[in-house]
Amino acid sequence: MNQSRSKSFSLDRITKVGILSALSYGLMFIQVPIPIAPPFMKLDLADVPSLIGGFALGPWYGVMIQFIKNLLNLSKTMTGGVGELSNFIVGSTFVLVSSLIYRNNKTKKNSILSLILGVLAMSAVATISNAFVVFPLYGKAMNMDLSAFAAQAGKNSLVKNYFTLMIFSIAPFNIIKGGVESIVTELIYKRISPILKYS
């Protein structure tokens, strides 16, 4: 009886992860440009389903949703997989930090705190990983000099070189993106969490 129930729960969770992953993948295509960021970096809400999954099902389920989303996007990649790698690293940091903190104390106050800390962790990881791993890899794949990235900073007059690109463009972009996704998550999570949770 318990074994049958455990299998049912496992199938139930896999189904929910699949639905949230598909939703996350779909949201990747609804993008809004932000003037301070390069044109290839745009705001979307694709992390929201994985945040909801991480809060309702557990941290590693949120990471799994991030992995499946980026795996699906490999079929349409224009970055040789580098963009998907970056998205997975950054998104997983956001989800993992937020949901690990939230699971220990599932209150409104702690959910806000967990999302704030998740945004800060994500922004730090995004800035460091982009500066030393992602952009160099992408530049090598596309035969681009790193200084060329700064020239694509759009309307951000604070960007003068590669270093200032990271400080005044990449970091603020991720804080804004994470902040918007946190607000959306906070607004809808309690309304839909009963559907995802089970006794």
Side-chain angles (χ1 to χ4, degrees):
M1 182 73 175
N2 288 337
Q3 186 177 3
S4 174
R5 188 175 181 180
S6 177
K7 286 181 179 178
S8 176
F9 281 172
S10 296
L11 181 60
D12 184 65
R13 290 199 174 202
I14 290 170
T15 302
K16 288 169 182 175
V17 165
I19 292 170
L20 289 170
S21 298
L23 181 58
S24 183
Y25 175 64
L27 287 172
M28 292 182 81
F29 297 97
I30 304 173
Q31 301 177 330
V32 178
I34 299 180
I36 64 166
F40 56 85
M41 298 182 72
K42 295 179 182 179
L43 173 66
D44 62 51
L45 299 176
D47 291 328
V48 172
S50 57
L51 283 167
I52 290 171
F55 277 16
L57 305 174
W60 294 108
Y61 286 96
V63 173
M64 193 183 304
I65 292 165
Q66 286 283 344
F67 178 76
I68 295 170
K69 172 191 74 175
N70 283 288
L71 192 65
L72 290 170
N73 201 55
L74 279 174
S75 64
K76 297 182 178 296
T77 186
M78 298 178 67
T79 64
V82 176
E84 286 70 30
L85 173 64
S86 176
N87 191 284
F88 175 70
I89 292 171
V90 173
S92 293
T93 300
F94 188 13
V95 172
L96 196 57
V97 171
S98 298
S99 54
L100 279 171
I101 295 170
Y102 177 72
R103 75 172 180 175
N104 294 322
N105 182 17
K106 297 186 176 183
T107 63
K108 176 82 170 178
K109 183 178 179 180
N110 197 50
S111 69
I112 295 171
L113 176 63
S114 69
L115 288 166
I116 291 172
L117 293 176
V119 170
L120 293 176
M122 174 190 72
S123 301
V125 168
T127 304
I128 294 168
S129 65
N130 278 319
F132 298 107
V133 180
V134 177
F135 278 33
L137 279 176
Y138 182 74
K140 188 174 182 179
M142 300 298 167
N143 197 27
M144 288 176 60
D145 187 83
L146 291 180
S147 60
F149 287 105
Q152 300 181 41
K155 300 177 181 179
N156 193 337
S157 60
L158 294 173
V159 175
K160 307 295 184 184
N161 51 44
Y162 187 70
F163 175 76
T164 53
L165 173 69
M166 296 299 149
I167 301 301
F168 297 118
S169 183
I170 305 305
F173 168 81
N174 282 283
I175 290 172
I176 293 169
K177 182 177 186 292
V180 171
E181 290 181 317
S182 295
I183 292 170
V184 174
T185 300
E186 192 65 31
L187 288 173
I188 67 174
Y189 174 66
K190 288 298 182 182
R191 291 179 173 86
I192 65 175
S193 61
I195 302 171
L196 297 171
K197 290 178 179 178
Y198 39 90
S199 59

